[in-house]
Amino acid sequence: MPLTDSLKSQLTSLVASNRVVLFMKGDRRSPMCGFSATVVGILDEHLPSASGYDTVNCLASPELRDGIKEFSDWPTIPQLYIDGKFVGGCDIVREMHSSGELAKLIGGASAAAAPAKLPTITLSESAAKAFRDATPDDGDRLHLAIDARFSHELFFGPVEKGELEVVANGVTFLVDPQSARRADGVSIDFVGGANGGGFKIENPNEPPRVRSLTARELRALMDKGTKLELFDVRTPQEMAIARIDGARPFDNAARDHIARLADSDKAATLVFHCHHGVRSRTAAESVVALGLRNVFNLEGGIEAWSSTVDANVPRY
């Protein structure tokens, strides 16, 4: 697709919107690919404040995604611009970060970056006991790591330079500065189970994301009378073949309704389904982008509903 004058003007304006601009998949709080998440993590180290740098979601439109590649004459995303000049993609940014060149290029903005503050972590009694019982005798310490995609990792290992010590319920965590900026308010619990159980981590800083729901779990929510809205993203022809009771079409009226919820009730529980769960996940992700926090995708779609919950719903 050729780079039109209009699109070139738009990209020029975006590049000039901040000293540091990252064209990526997703946004700063919710990267949609590992390479974008890597660059976000690096930039967060240099520019932790909310206004430190801008991100542009290249998944917003095919024109933007293809246009930035032609604009920079660079074939991949993410792409970093500093002071209006193209710097490079993930590998180049990573190399420049390791060598110290990126810090020099960012300059004053990086030097002004505030040091990471000590986060507050809440630890349940059961989790504290589990950590104490698992502490090795070789001197390795307990670490909490949170990457730019808000994936959480708990592990024992040696002390790393620059880590912060955070004490919660008598247990000491080591947290690197980048993770510390994402960890404030984290709560950790230990939930038992047939396979020995595991840790449950809740992070109030984590951006909204689509959550998975099985057909049986949806049935259980309905049976309990949980307030939720179920949206069917399939075609009218498919709906004529089979439907789940209570589902409404994901049409323009539904979209307008959801837009109003985004302004008035971001905690509303919304569930999306299609035939096998692929189209509905795409629809659910578009709703999460509005800021709604309790958005679910029915995994396996109406096919899973028919095969595991209600055999009276026709399969096709």
Side-chain angles (χ1 to χ4, degrees):
M1 180 179 298
L3 183 62
T4 64
D5 289 342
S6 175
L7 182 55
K8 184 177 180 180
S9 176
Q10 178 188 356
L11 292 171
T12 300
S13 177
L14 288 171
V15 166
S17 65
N18 201 326
R19 281 200 62 224
V20 181
V21 180
L22 177 65
F23 290 81
M24 61 180 289
K25 294 180 180 180
D27 57 37
R28 182 174 181 173
R29 294 206 65 197
S30 186
M32 299 296 288
C33 79
F35 298 113
S36 294
T38 295
V39 178
V40 164
I42 291 170
L43 292 178
D44 280 353
E45 182 174 343
H46 292 279
L47 302 165
S49 71
S51 60
Y53 65 96
D54 289 340
T55 61
V56 179
N57 183 6
C58 292
L59 299 179
S61 72
E63 293 79 14
L64 181 60
R65 183 186 63 233
D66 296 336
I68 190 60
K69 295 177 183 179
E70 186 175 346
F71 183 81
S72 62
D73 194 22
W74 190 261
T76 60
I77 296 167
Q79 298 183 12
L80 179 64
Y81 283 78
I82 297 178
D83 290 326
K85 297 179 179 179
F86 175 62
V87 174
C90 180
D91 289 342
I92 291 176
V93 172
R94 191 157 40 194
E95 290 171 6
M96 292 176 66
H97 175 58
S98 298
S99 68
E101 186 179 355
L102 182 64
K104 294 178 182 177
L105 190 60
I106 292 176
S110 178
K117 296 180 180 179
L118 205 64
T120 298
I121 297 175
T122 300
L123 191 65
S124 71
E125 288 293 341
S126 58
K129 182 179 185 304
F131 285 130
R132 293 189 189 101
D133 292 345
T135 301
D137 298 327
D138 58 7
D140 279 351
R141 304 280 298 279
L142 177 61
H143 299 250
L144 169 64
I146 307 172
D147 66 19
R149 302 179 79 175
F150 282 85
S151 295
H152 300 74
E153 185 178 5
L154 294 163
F155 63 95
F156 288 95
V159 177
E160 300 290 342
K161 183 179 179 181
E163 288 184 310
L164 306 175
E165 288 195 357
V166 183
V167 179
N169 201 1
V171 175
T172 300
F173 293 85
L174 295 177
V175 187
D176 65 81
Q178 295 74 40
S179 296
R181 296 185 179 101
R182 305 179 186 115
D184 193 37
V186 162
S187 61
I188 304 174
D189 191 13
F190 184 81
V191 181
N195 297 320
F199 293 99
K200 179 182 179 182
I201 302 176
E202 294 185 357
N203 190 338
N205 308 300
E206 184 175 359
R209 64 183 64 197
V210 177
R211 290 182 269 179
S212 296
L213 196 66
T214 67
R216 288 194 175 93
E217 287 171 338
L218 176 58
R219 176 77 273 173
L221 290 176
M222 291 176 164
D223 289 345
K224 287 196 303 183
T226 301
K227 184 179 179 181
L228 60 85
E229 296 187 64
L230 178 61
F231 295 93
D232 188 339
V233 310
R234 297 175 302 148
T235 66
Q237 292 78 12
E238 290 176 285
M239 294 180 198
I241 297 171
R243 298 193 69 164
I244 299 176
D245 288 342
R248 61 181 290 185
F250 186 54
D251 53 17
N252 288 336
R255 290 181 174 87
D256 290 343
H257 168 66
I258 290 170
R260 289 192 293 272
L261 285 178
D263 292 331
S264 62
D265 186 9
K266 283 185 168 58
T269 299
L270 309 180
V271 182
F272 291 79
H273 89 82
C274 61
H275 191 188
H276 292 109
V278 178
R279 285 172 288 171
S280 54
R281 178 164 287 277
T282 299
E285 287 173 350
S286 72
V287 169
V288 162
L290 299 175
L292 287 131
R293 298 189 295 271
N294 295 314
V295 181
F296 296 84
N297 182 53
L298 177 59
E299 300 300 325
I302 197 170
E303 173 68 20
W305 183 268
S306 302
S307 60
T308 63
V309 173
D310 187 355
N312 292 320
V313 174
R315 300 172 68 179
Y316 65 98

